[in-house]
Amino acid sequence: MTGSSAAFGDLPLRRWILDLGATALLVLTALVGFWPTFAGPSFLPAAIGGILIGLAIAVITTWRRWGILIIAGLTIAAYFVFGGAFALPQTSILGFIPTIETLQKLALGTVTAWKQMLTTVAPVAAADGHLVVPFLLALVVTTVTASLALRLSQVAWALIPAGVLLMLVIALGTPEPAFPLVQGLVFAVVSMSWLALRQLWAPQNTAISVSEVDPSRAAHMRTRRLLAGVAVLAIAGGAGVATSAVANPAQPRHVFRDVIIPPFDIRDYPSPLQAFRKNVRDEADQTLFTVQGLPKGARVRTAVMDQFDGMVYNVTDGGPTSSSAFSPLRSNMSPDAEGVPVTLNVEIGAYRGVWMPTAGELSEIRFSGDDAEQLRRGTYVNTETGTAVSTTKLTKGDEYTVDAVMPNVPDDEQLAEVPFGKVSMPKPSNVPEELTALAAETIAGAETPIERVRALENFLSKEGFFSHGLEGEVISRAGHTAERISTLVGGEQMIGDDEQYAVAMALLAGQVDIPARVVMGYYPDEDKAGEATFAATGDNVHAWVEVNFEGLGWMAFNPTPPEDQVPNDQNTKPRVDPKPQVLQPPPPPQEPVDLPPTLPDDREAEDESLNLAGIIGAILVIGGISLGVIALLASPFIVIGAWKAAKRRSRRAAARTADRISGGWDELTDRAVDYGARIPPGGTRIEEAAVVASSLTVPQVTALAERADADVFGPAEPSPEDVESFWHEVDDIVGGLGKEAGFWKRLQARLSVRSLLGGTAISNGFQNLKDAAAVRVRREPGTIKNSTTPPSPESETS
């Protein structure tokens, strides 16, 4: 085809424009899903660059009729040549000339870029090298999609890699979708339009409209098809929009990032409750942080703990809803929270630590200042407990804004008939034995769940006495070990502060199946509650208990006696060195050597096993992704070889021996096409043999073609020995083609798809019709039995 209606070969210009344009639109639509991952369009230059380069490779290789090996080589070369400009400009000279560092990172990025992007807290930064992923995906998928579209008559095959890309981008992205409605609608419309136009422009449809229908009739038929396609697209689009409004998922989608990113192990840090007395003693007059916008009655929490091991109250490793289940910071963390929305501005003063002051059910945390980006990347949130942790310790001057929802607090009348929540709580260990009987005795007269909780709370707050054990106060040892809690409840007078009373109530509640946990945080005194700014000091640190009620969540309770509720027999004698008051008493004579080391060692072994399991899991997932990518890239080679082998087996195993002879000739012409012979469709075997003999210099194929015609069109079916002999000659000729060609030419021929999807397919179809007609002629009575020439097309038609 020549003139303005053709381009680069036998394909019409409109076909090139349609296939390349549809490929670019589908790939770009799929890659738009990376928008939340990069928090904007910073990835688009890399994606568009990969698309343009992939289209160029597909055009050149199709025009030059190059095979899959050259396509793969050009794709790899383009990745390294242009990867510096589009994916790693920060490592390139002048932003586009690759350096040794650029080539090294591009080579490693094919394996490690996936892990780096999935294990980095989203949104990721383009400057960190994460653009390798969208550039590589755009380049490879565009090259494959466009090459399949330009080379195949069925465009449905080209939609497969584009659809895989769409799913892969979703899996590699974030739980928050980018533009799901627009993406789905555009992808569907472009795909259906592409299929419809390719079907409309198919050669057989054009032939029918020209040969069997007059031009005006053909134009009318094309118009009707076009309008029908537009109507289908409009209906599908409207149905998609209407359905999306109803079927919008309430829960965030699950992606690879949820599996790959190892959960933040807060158990690497000590329980903050261990430093409670230190906060009270050393930070009483220091402004630790300030909070603006804290509502009256609200509390600032820093940590939530629900597991006791006899030594310390800590967070538990109990799955996705436990107190240690921290995940990377994200937006809209509590979409279903009910209550009063508030915005808190927090500024850090003398406060130091990883536990971040927050309040309410967290929705979003935004950092400001010089360290904002570093803090954002290192912050993890537990939405079940409403706590946040920054692996980069907070320092003076750090500022952040917390968007949260303050839940409504019901009174006892509203809780009168509400049962306890069915939540999974860790089983405490090494709990003092006397607490079981004490808890049962304390709630003996309570009838409802709230009455049981109040009974435990009142027992401690009304019968106990308050003391931090500081200078000038009654002796009160720090800590909350099993021995300390046993001393608290078993002594003549209960003396302690928030640390001991909160732990005691939580342990007592656990003995009677009340779901309870310990919370540490800050809140102002009653006379300062509701002020615009809350300046937290060590004097404002508290610990309290939360109990879960079904349908209402966790409610706060205060088992600590009032600070003015002190023992009658006060020992106010000043101490020279108050530090011994906060140390643990010496353990019993039989236990000092063995007990303390064993618990840390057991916990360390547990942590090591958990870390090992996490590492193995991450390696398996990353390895699986890498193997999947390798399998995807190698799949064309495997499919091509299997396809050719299946066709060869079916030809040799045909029911009729004449069909086996025909199949042998088809096998020969297929291999000749793979080696570069251009056999026109519709020719006879003699004509095909002439083309093969002239283009590949194998004159013996002419005699083989005559033998095939004699066997197929002869008076009798060829014998099995004739079939085996014929196929032996075919294999000898095909083997000779491989010996004459070099290694790369031979490998290219084995991986060529011309014989599978084009090549001799049409020619073989015509030849099969002739063979079938010859069989009819041979078997009908009155025909010439000894003719060895094929019937003419005219006789077949008649």
Side-chain angles (χ1 to χ4, degrees):
M1 188 176 294
T2 59
S4 60
S5 63
F8 302 128
D10 299 332
L11 295 179
L13 178 61
R14 63 182 184 180
R15 166 78 177 273
W16 287 85
I17 295 175
L18 173 64
D19 290 347
L20 297 179
T23 298
L25 280 175
L26 290 178
V27 174
L28 184 60
T29 300
L31 290 173
V32 167
F34 279 132
W35 194 284
T37 304
F38 289 86
S42 60
F43 70 98
L44 286 180
I48 295 174
I51 292 173
L52 295 178
I53 298 171
L55 293 177
I57 294 174
V59 168
I60 294 173
T61 54
T62 303
W63 171 41
R64 300 297 300 172
R65 300 181 182 275
W66 289 337
I68 189 171
L69 288 179
I70 298 180
I71 295 175
L74 288 177
T75 304
I76 294 173
Y79 171 71
F80 285 100
V81 172
F82 296 100
F86 291 108
L88 298 170
Q90 68 276 11
T91 65
S92 307
I93 301 174
L94 300 179
F96 65 92
I97 302 176
T99 62
I100 298 298
E101 181 186 3
T102 303
L103 299 177
Q104 181 183 12
K105 289 188 175 181
L106 287 173
L108 295 175
T110 57
V111 177
T112 61
W114 320 93
K115 170 195 171 185
Q116 291 175 355
M117 190 173 77
L118 290 175
T119 55
T120 301
V121 180
V124 300
D128 292 343
H130 299 297
L131 292 178
V132 170
V133 173
F135 175 72
L136 181 58
L137 288 176
L139 175 63
V140 173
V141 176
T142 302
T143 302
V144 174
T145 302
S147 298
L148 292 175
L150 293 172
R151 293 166 183 259
L152 304 185
S153 59
Q154 295 294 331
V155 74
W157 292 101
L159 292 176
I160 294 177
V164 171
L165 175 64
L166 180 64
M167 295 184 290
L168 190 60
V169 170
I170 293 174
L172 293 173
T174 61
E176 293 79 24
F179 314 100
L181 177 59
V182 176
Q183 271 187 291
L185 191 59
V186 171
F187 198 92
V189 169
V190 173
S191 300
M192 289 188 290
S193 301
W194 196 7
L195 288 169
L197 289 175
R198 283 287 298 271
Q199 181 67 22
L200 185 63
W201 294 350
Q204 61 270 24
N205 292 339
T206 304
I208 293 174
S209 63
V210 172
S211 61
E212 299 181 4
V213 186
D214 61 88
S216 61
R217 177 69 173 171
H220 179 67
M221 292 175 62
R222 287 195 295 268
T223 302
R224 289 182 60 186
R225 291 176 181 173
L226 182 62
L227 293 177
V230 172
V232 171
L233 292 177
I235 294 173
V241 173
T243 304
S244 65
V246 179
N248 188 30
Q251 299 296 329
R253 59 185 178 183
H254 297 284
V255 296
F256 284 163
R257 187 176 300 274
D258 299 332
V259 181
I260 296 296
I261 296 182
F264 174 71
D265 192 357
I266 190 59
R267 293 171 66 89
D268 291 340
Y269 300 88
S271 170
L273 197 60
Q274 291 177 293
F276 185 89
R277 190 65 62 86
K278 178 181 179 298
N279 299 147
V280 174
R281 184 188 67 225
D282 300 338
E283 301 171 350
D285 299 326
Q286 299 184 36
T287 300
L288 303 177
F289 58 86
T290 59
V291 181
Q292 295 181 350
L294 187 67
K296 185 176 182 179
R299 302 183 178 191
V300 176
R301 64 177 57 205
T302 54
V304 175
M305 297 145 286
D306 53 9
Q307 184 179 45
F308 184 74
D309 60 4
M311 297 292 292
V312 65
Y313 227 105
N314 205 349
V315 297
T316 183
D317 187 10
T321 61
S322 66
S323 58
S324 64
F326 285 79
S327 60
L329 181 65
R330 61 185 189 276
S331 59
N332 194 26
M333 292 180 289
S334 301
D336 300 327
E338 297 180 357
V340 180
V342 297
T343 299
L344 309 177
N345 296 314
V346 182
E347 181 177 358
I348 302 300
Y351 183 83
R352 298 293 181 271
V354 298
W355 295 89
M356 297 174 56
T358 59
E361 298 188 32
L362 303 178
S363 178
E364 188 170 358
I365 300 177
R366 300 182 300 276
F367 293 92
S368 57
D370 297 337
D371 299 331
E373 183 65 17
Q374 183 179 6
L375 289 170
R376 182 187 65 81
R377 291 178 178 274
T379 297
Y380 294 81
V381 179
N382 188 324
T383 55
E384 293 293 329
T385 60
T387 53
V389 173
S390 173
T391 55
T392 302
K393 285 189 177 183
L394 299 173
T395 59
K396 185 175 183 179
D398 291 337
E399 298 182 25
Y400 56 92
T401 301
V402 178
D403 291 337
V405 176
M406 294 296 177
N408 299 320
V409 180
D411 55 26
D412 285 11
E413 292 183 1
Q414 295 172 313
L415 293 171
E417 302 299 329
V418 180
F420 295 122
K422 296 179 177 61
V423 294
S424 177
M425 299 296 297
K427 183 175 180 61
S429 58
N430 300 317
V431 178
E433 296 180 358
E434 59 268 28
L435 293 188
T436 303
L438 180 60
E441 179 184 349
T442 304
I443 67 169
E447 297 181 356
T448 64
I450 183 60
E451 289 179 354
R452 298 175 190 172
V453 180
R454 290 299 183 193
L456 296 176
E457 179 188 40
N458 294 334
F459 165 71
L460 296 171
S461 63
K462 293 183 178 180
E463 298 189 21
F465 298 95
F466 183 89
S467 175
H468 285 310
L470 303 180
E471 186 174 0
E473 297 180 355
V474 174
I475 295 177
S476 173
R477 293 189 290 113
H480 55 276
T481 63
E483 182 274 332
R484 178 66 179 93
I485 301 303
S486 179
T487 303
L488 174 73
V489 300
E492 294 182 1
Q493 292 180 318
M494 288 191 296
I495 302 176
D497 56 12
D498 300 58
E499 179 184 6
Q500 291 81 42
Y501 284 109
V503 172
M505 179 176 173
L507 293 178
L508 288 169
Q511 300 306 300
V512 288
D513 298 327
I514 297 176
R517 63 190 188 186
V518 176
V519 184
M520 182 175 172
Y522 299 79
Y523 55 83
D525 298 334
E526 292 184 5
D527 57 336
K528 295 183 179 180
E531 292 184 357
T533 301
F534 166 48
T537 66
D539 194 45
N540 302 125
V541 65
H542 294 282
W544 61 92
V545 174
E546 288 185 344
V547 175
N548 190 274
F549 288 87
E550 185 174 325
L552 299 176
W554 297 90
M555 302 296 163
F557 295 88
N558 302 300
T560 306
E563 294 189 10
D564 58 357
Q565 188 169 313
V566 296
N568 295 328
D569 184 15
Q570 296 190 25
N571 181 6
T572 58
K573 180 179 179 180
R575 302 176 185 84
V576 178
D577 185 5
K579 290 183 179 179
Q581 299 173 8
V582 301
L583 295 177
Q584 299 296 335
Q590 300 298 328
E591 300 179 356
V593 177
D594 296 332
L595 182 57
T598 53
L599 286 174
D601 287 346
D602 292 342
R603 187 168 60 250
E604 182 179 357
E606 179 185 352
D607 291 343
E608 289 177 355
S609 64
L610 291 176
N611 291 338
L612 180 60
I615 293 173
I616 293 175
I619 291 174
L620 291 177
V621 174
I622 295 169
I625 295 176
S626 302
L627 291 176
V629 173
I630 295 173
L632 179 63
L633 296 176
S635 59
F637 301 90
I638 300 173
V639 171
I640 291 170
W643 196 346
K644 289 183 179 181
K647 290 185 69 175
R648 177 182 173 88
R649 285 193 301 269
S650 65
R651 287 165 175 170
R652 292 211 64 168
R656 297 173 52 251
T657 54
D659 291 338
R660 299 175 198 171
I661 297 292
S662 298
W665 179 257
D666 294 342
E667 186 71 18
L668 173 61
T669 54
D670 281 352
R671 301 293 78 77
V673 168
D674 290 337
Y675 276 100
R678 301 185 63 180
I679 301 177
T684 64
R685 292 191 181 93
I686 301 298
E687 294 170 343
E688 292 175 349
V691 174
V692 174
S694 61
S695 59
L696 300 179
T697 318
V698 280
Q700 62 268 36
V701 297
T702 303
L704 189 64
E706 294 176 352
R707 177 179 174 182
D709 284 343
D711 288 339
V712 172
F713 301 115
E717 290 282 343
S719 65
E721 291 76 14
D722 294 335
V723 173
E724 291 298 325
S725 176
F726 186 85
W727 272 90
H728 181 72
E729 291 189 40
V730 169
D731 291 338
D732 288 343
I733 295 175
V734 172
L737 295 177
K739 292 179 181 179
E740 296 295 332
F743 171 77
W744 292 110
K745 182 68 175 178
R746 187 163 59 252
L747 185 59
Q748 181 181 358
R750 289 179 180 177
L751 299 176
S752 174
V753 296
R754 293 178 58 201
S755 62
L756 296 174
L757 306 171
T760 61
I762 298 177
S763 176
N764 293 338
F766 280 102
Q767 192 63 56
N768 291 336
L769 290 175
K770 293 180 180 181
D771 293 348
V775 172
R776 290 198 308 271
V777 170
R778 186 172 61 213
R779 292 185 175 181
E780 289 176 0
T783 57
I784 301 175
K785 301 293 185 179
N786 59 354
S787 175
T788 59
T789 59
S792 64
E794 291 79 3
S795 65
E796 292 173 15
T797 304
S798 63

